[in-house]
Amino acid sequence: QVHLQESGPGLVKPSETLSLTCTISGGSISNYYWSWIRQPPGKGLEWIGYIYYSGSTNYNPSLKSRVTISVDTSKNQFSLKLTSVTAADTAVYYCARESGGGSYEEWGQGTLVTVSS
Amino acid sequence: EIVLTQSPGTLSLSPGERATLSCRASQSVGSSYLAWYQQKPGQAPRLLIYGASSRATGIPDRFSGSGSGTDFTLTISRLEPEDFAVYYCQQYGSSPYTFGQGAKLEIK
């Protein structure tokens, strides 16, 4: 049973960079697409982007100028960097594994990141 | 991008009743790449349906999905107490992937 776990700072200052890592256990990072999805408190879900294990990426145009998703196959991890954050970036950030072509059957538990000085 | 609009925003029903949730897309969803998720407070979403009508692993058969093109439906045939939650549709037929705004299923 694959398990995904997000990690990273829970508090980030405005204008700084949000950095999160998703560690995969119980399975290999190979041959899958891996995504980041976020959910502001009390609101709906927003797809941030995905990375294939080989390194190819696809980002949401609304965030593309500020987002980088990278992969480290040796550590079975992938990461998110979001630059120049504002309060609007406060959200629970989930990592997830694509299945069935773009739906998500495996999710991390989510981590709340608050942007505040 | 494809905008997904879910209706109703809130549905109040009793256990044992039938629930019907709608998801309408602003343009056709390619290859019926439409999924449904259930989310309970403090939890990650749980995949229920993918490909518009295929149940995910371990999902009870009281959950069913239908539709194509721009109109999709999630039906819960007979509500159990644990089914009261928020439901989201998601399209993955074109980038960027998008989600509906969510529909809350509450106990009447």
Side-chain angles (χ1 to χ4, degrees), chain B residues 27-48:
Chain B
Q27 54 189 281
S28 184
V29 175
S31 304
S32 293
Y33 282 158
L34 193 286
W36 289 94
Y37 299 85
Q38 177 193 70
Q39 187 178 35
K40 297 180 179 179
Q43 297 184 15
R46 174 194 182 197
L47 178 67
L48 302 174

Side-chain angles (χ1 to χ4, degrees), chain A residues 37-98:
Chain A
I37 294 161
R38 70 181 183 178
Q39 185 172 36
K43 297 188 178 181
L45 299 159
E46 180 181 28
W47 178 76
I48 298 171
Y50 68 60
I51 189 165
Y52 193 48
Y53 79 102
S54 61
S56 61
T57 55
N58 184 21
Y59 301 139
N60 192 322
S62 68
L63 297 168
K64 188 173 184 177
S65 63
R66 299 193 292 131
V67 169
T68 302
I69 300 176
S70 58
V71 65
D72 187 337
T73 55
S74 68
K75 295 182 179 180
N76 237 28
Q77 294 177 334
F78 66 106
S79 298
L80 169 69
K81 289 191 187 300
L82 181 65
T83 62
S84 305
V85 297
T86 70
D89 295 309
T90 293
V92 175
Y93 286 76
Y94 294 101
C95 58
R97 188 184 79 179
E98 281 198 18

Side-chain angles (χ1 to χ4, degrees), chain A residues 4 24 28-29 32-36 49-51 53 78 96-97:
Chain A
L4 287 70
I24 300 132
S28 173
I29 199 167
Y32 286 99
Y33 289 87
W34 303 90
S35 291
W36 288 98
Y50 68 60
I51 189 165
Y53 79 102
F78 66 106
R97 188 184 79 179

